[in-house]
Amino acid sequence: MPRQRLMLGLLALLVAATVALSGCAKVAESTNNSPVAANTEPSAAGKIPVTTASDEARKEFLQGRDLNEKLLIQDSIQHFDKAISLDPNFAWAELNRAQVSPTGKEFFEHLKKAVSLSDKASNGEKLLILGTEAAPRTRA
């Protein structure tokens, strides 16, 4: 039974990532005209836009993501933290900060924050966040 739940969670995450990467990269329309939706990185076909109200936060986020991709995880933490401090509504930075967290407690704190901010993110970002949130639940 736990194996089936794990497989279901992984399948949900895979589906969410596939949908996010296959063209759902449109910027979420904001009903309140917030600056977050207005200041979104232009997206090319198949790319998820980085939704933030701060260019400096975007730079820190991209630097942190680059370090994480190079497996310099400890070095990436400070950049994600800086991005979050520059834009407290930066959902994708919260998700990435969760993913590089050294403890489970930190992971779930940042994931919870990312989920609470997901309505301010692009569709692609939102799917990645909600897919990540769904995976741990299936393991219980």
Side-chain angles (χ1 to χ4, degrees):
M1 191 67 141
R3 184 175 172 95
Q4 290 175 337
R5 287 184 177 184
L6 174 62
M7 296 304 280
L8 183 61
L10 291 174
L11 179 61
L13 185 58
L14 178 64
V15 169
T18 302
V19 170
L21 296 174
S22 68
C24 287
K26 294 180 182 178
V27 177
E29 292 298 322
S30 175
T31 56
N32 61 2
N33 295 326
S34 72
V36 174
N39 191 9
T40 302
E41 179 181 275
S43 68
K47 295 200 177 191
I48 299 173
V50 178
T51 308
T52 179
S54 166
D55 289 333
E56 189 64 30
R58 177 180 286 110
K59 289 176 189 173
E60 290 292 336
F61 170 79
L62 294 174
Q63 196 169 5
R65 188 173 69 177
D66 183 54
L67 289 168
N68 185 26
E69 289 171 355
K70 292 177 181 174
L71 302 178
L72 298 170
I73 296 167
Q74 285 297 105
D75 297 334
S76 71
I77 292 173
Q78 66 184 346
H79 294 285
F80 292 130
D81 285 341
K82 179 75 172 180
I84 292 165
S85 71
L86 291 168
D87 182 1
N89 295 317
F90 196 171
W92 203 3
E94 285 286 355
L95 175 64
N96 278 268
R97 178 58 178 86
Q99 293 171 334
V100 299
S101 293
T103 66
K105 181 181 178 195
E106 279 185 45
F107 171 82
F108 285 107
E109 287 172 358
H110 287 284
L111 180 59
K112 182 178 178 181
K113 180 72 172 174
V115 170
S116 73
L117 296 171
S118 65
D119 62 328
K120 299 177 182 183
S122 70
N123 288 338
E125 292 168 316
K126 186 174 185 174
L127 288 170
L128 289 173
I129 291 166
L130 297 179
T132 303
E133 178 197 27
R137 284 194 215 160
T138 60
R139 294 182 190 141

